[in-house]
């Protein structure tokens, strides 16, 4: 698909559109497919989780890390992750038998490079829009 679009743009001499398309492909690859480290900060790994993640915007296989990364990306833009509304949270209150509910497993995880990940997200969106505009202009 990308190769066909590239060949078409080369045949038409649309170098700006070709450059934007290739930039978009690079940004999408870095954001969603490049093999990298998860980098979510945990209690045991303050330098960031070292598990493999595919894409700077994605986390490793651990559900907490996926949530932390999604929450951090929303928080970067001053938003709240809408999926938080469906998360069940158990409080540590005394039960009728005088015992307490289990303590939470750990403190919430954080993303070590939220600015970098947010910049990748913004670049992905901006690159997509620019490429679509360039392709529309090229076809007209
Ligand atoms: Zn992780």
């Amino acid at each position: 698909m990308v190769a066909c679009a590239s060949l078409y743009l080369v045949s038409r001499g649309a170098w700006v559109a070709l450059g934007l398309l290739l930039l978009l492909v690079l940004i999408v690859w870095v954001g969603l497919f490049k093999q990298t480290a998860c980098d979510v900060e945990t209690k045991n790994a303050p330098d960031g989780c070292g598990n493999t993640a595919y894409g700077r915007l994605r986390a490793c296989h651990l559900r907490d890390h996926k949530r932390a990364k999604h929450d951090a990306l929303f928080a970067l833009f001053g938003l709240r992750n809408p999926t938080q509304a469906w998360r069940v949270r158990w409080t540590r209150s005394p039960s009728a038998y005088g015992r307490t509910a289990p303590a939470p497993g750990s403190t919430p995880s954080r993303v070590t490079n939220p600015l970098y990940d947010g910049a990748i997200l913004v670049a992905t969106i901006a690159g997509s829009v620019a490429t679509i505009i360039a392709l529309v202009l090229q076809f007209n």
Side-chain angles (χ1 to χ4, degrees):
M1 168 98 176
V2 173
C4 292
S6 298
L7 288 175
Y8 174 75
L9 293 174
V10 166
S11 71
R12 303 234 359 209
W15 303 110
V16 173
L18 178 65
L20 288 173
L21 177 66
L22 296 179
L23 182 65
L24 171 70
V25 169
L26 177 68
I27 291 170
V28 167
W29 176 71
V30 169
L32 300 176
F33 300 106
K34 179 182 182 291
Q35 184 172 343
T36 183
C38 172
D39 280 342
V40 172
E41 186 175 89
T42 64
K43 194 184 293 182
N44 297 332
D47 292 336
C49 171
N51 290 340
T52 300
Y54 293 95
R56 292 296 310 168
L57 298 176
R58 299 168 69 189
C60 66
H61 63 283
L62 298 172
R63 185 181 306 152
D64 284 349
H65 293 185
K66 291 177 184 176
R67 284 180 174 175
K69 216 159 212 188
H70 294 160
D71 291 349
L73 288 173
F74 275 99
L76 193 64
F77 299 103
L79 301 172
R80 185 170 175 265
N81 189 348
T83 62
Q84 287 181 353
W86 290 283
R87 290 184 196 160
V88 176
R89 295 174 190 265
W90 300 94
T91 58
R92 190 183 163 93
S93 58
S95 70
Y97 301 103
R99 294 187 295 186
T100 58
S106 64
T107 57
S109 303
R110 297 188 313 137
V111 177
T112 53
N113 295 320
L115 278 179
Y116 177 79
D117 294 340
I120 292 289
L121 180 62
V122 168
T124 302
I125 293 169
S128 303
V129 171
T131 302
I132 289 169
I133 290 171
L135 287 173
V136 167
L137 292 176
Q138 188 63 38
F139 285 117
N140 290 334

